[in-house]
Amino acid sequence: MAFYHSTATSNIIPTATKFCLLFSLLMGMVSAQLSSDNFYATSCPKALETIKSGVDSAVQSEKRMGASLLRLHFHDCFVNGCDASVLLDGSGGEKVAGPNANSLRGFEVIDSIKSEVEKLCPGVVSCADILAVAARDSVVALSGASWSWKVELGRKDSATPGTANIGDIPAPTFNLSALITSFSNKGFTAKEMVALSGSHTIGQARCATFRARIYNETNIDSSFATSLKSNCPSAGGDDNLSPLDSTSPTSLDNAYYKNLQDQKGLLHSDQQLFSGGSTDAQVKAYISDPASFRTDFANAMVKMGNLSPLTGTYNGQIRTNCHSAN
């Protein structure tokens, strides 16, 4: 039987009923809010522990991976929202775009976790949610349970990458004004921007991203600059790595801010947070009160995880394989 035959048949459905059906359809198209971290309690009860196990194993094998997984979530959310589009393969995708090419890593860890979760609950847990949970679990694996936060869940995955907005990712060359604007465009205050920048207390950066700073800038500790030049020559060695926080490169703490106060920020954008501008006071606050940094960082991560998620019946998909659309 055909679903439609003539215009007259529509009159069989009462007007009020048609209105309710139309209203329900439209409401289904509107993005719902993310839910609490027990979102998969019934549909996939072992999802979170499976993600945690995968993250713990990866970080135990290589501590740097904790920072890499945190960064994956950040780079995903800042381009078209937290939709796992950064994981998609393809010559024109986010994965190979300027800020990410030869830089983002940890894809194989997410793929491995997704594979294990699919064995438990096929087609239930999104890659976007795995990214969000893995970011939290990476921080906990490196720095302990006191750094945990409740990850809101219910995201779906995009079927296409969002390269048109790849410029939304803040560049290491940004000055303070550009940083504030970049984060403000995503709904973050300057204080939240400083808190999120504290993620640079872990991880490493390529020589190409800080060469100009150590050779050309004056607001940098001279001995610190000298120590970096042996591994980052004035020409060549673009992919040579140095820790973003030379004091405690594998643990989230407030050493990053202390380094800024001592003019030992690795990236130009890092040092801009403490360079005579409006955010100097916040940097000092996190130096004197590390607990406030921990709290503000967690709250800002929750907020970041809520950037334009795909939710609801008609938005996005649950990708079976994180690096390709269904």
Side-chain angles (χ1 to χ4, degrees):
M1 179 183 293
F3 287 109
Y4 55 89
H5 181 68
S6 71
T7 56
T9 59
S10 64
N11 292 327
I12 296 173
I13 304 174
T15 301
T17 303
K18 287 191 289 184
F19 175 80
C20 290
L21 289 171
L22 178 59
F23 181 77
S24 297
L25 178 63
L26 291 173
M27 288 303 293
M29 294 180 178
V30 177
S31 293
Q33 295 296 311
L34 296 179
S35 303
S36 64
D37 60 354
N38 64 357
F39 181 81
Y40 295 110
T42 301
S43 60
C44 194
K46 293 186 177 180
L48 297 189
E49 67 180 75
T50 302
I51 297 170
K52 185 179 187 304
S53 177
V55 169
D56 287 349
S57 177
V59 174
Q60 186 175 11
S61 297
E62 182 199 8
K63 286 196 171 184
R64 182 189 171 203
M65 187 54 69
S68 297
L69 293 174
L70 177 61
R71 187 165 180 254
L72 261 183
H73 180 46
F74 174 82
H75 279 230
D76 179 42
C77 291
F78 257 61
V79 179
N80 283 11
C82 307
D83 60 1
S85 55
V86 73
L87 303 177
L88 289 168
D89 287 339
S91 58
E94 292 170 48
K95 188 183 290 189
V96 294
N100 299 334
N102 301 315
S103 175
L104 283 186
R105 56 199 302 273
F107 299 106
E108 72 285 354
V109 175
I110 299 299
D111 284 342
S112 176
I113 291 171
K114 175 64 171 175
S115 177
E116 292 303 310
V117 172
E118 282 293 302
K119 292 176 186 177
L120 295 173
C121 323
V124 173
V125 182
S126 69
C127 300
D129 274 351
I130 290 175
L131 277 178
V133 175
R136 186 270 311 278
D137 290 350
S138 293
V139 170
V140 171
L142 289 173
S143 305
S146 65
W147 283 88
S148 186
W149 60 88
K150 287 188 178 295
V151 178
E152 296 182 336
L153 299 168
R155 301 166 189 80
K156 288 190 176 179
D157 303 321
S158 171
T160 56
T163 48
N165 298 315
I166 197 70
D168 290 353
I169 297 174
T173 55
F174 274 11
N175 60 24
L176 181 59
S177 176
L179 286 170
I180 291 174
T181 298
S182 176
F183 280 81
S184 176
N185 287 342
K186 298 297 180 181
F188 292 102
T189 65
K191 179 181 179 181
E192 290 169 331
M193 181 269 289
V194 175
L196 285 173
S197 296
S199 63
H200 283 185
T201 189
I202 55 176
Q204 302 185 57
R206 297 167 61 239
C207 166
T209 63
F210 61 84
R211 176 183 287 117
R213 169 156 167 75
I214 64 175
Y215 283 97
N216 302 328
E217 296 185 11
T218 57
N219 62 338
I220 184 169
D221 179 85
S222 58
S223 61
F224 175 65
T226 299
S227 70
L228 292 166
K229 289 177 181 177
S230 60
N231 193 44
C232 184
S234 57
D238 284 3
D239 293 329
N240 293 350
L241 301 171
S242 288
L244 287 157
D245 169 10
S246 57
T247 305
S248 52
T250 60
S251 178
L252 259 87
D253 52 35
N254 68 342
Y256 166 79
Y257 301 106
K258 295 176 182 177
N259 291 339
L260 298 184
Q261 190 174 47
D262 295 335
Q263 295 191 322
K264 294 181 180 179
L266 183 66
L267 304 178
H268 175 81
S269 56
D270 287 328
Q271 195 59 56
Q272 284 292 294
L273 301 185
F274 193 88
S275 194
S278 59
T279 54
D280 282 16
Q282 191 57 52
V283 170
K284 289 181 178 178
Y286 288 150
I287 292 172
S288 62
D289 186 3
S292 69
F293 164 51
R294 184 167 61 244
T295 298
D296 291 351
F297 179 79
N299 290 336
M301 286 299 297
V302 172
K303 183 173 179 176
M304 188 180 77
N306 275 277
L307 287 178
S308 304
L310 295 174
T311 58
T313 306
Y314 298 93
N315 291 319
Q317 59 182 236
I318 304 296
R319 297 206 298 262
T320 301
N321 187 316
C322 285
H323 53 79
S324 62
N326 293 343

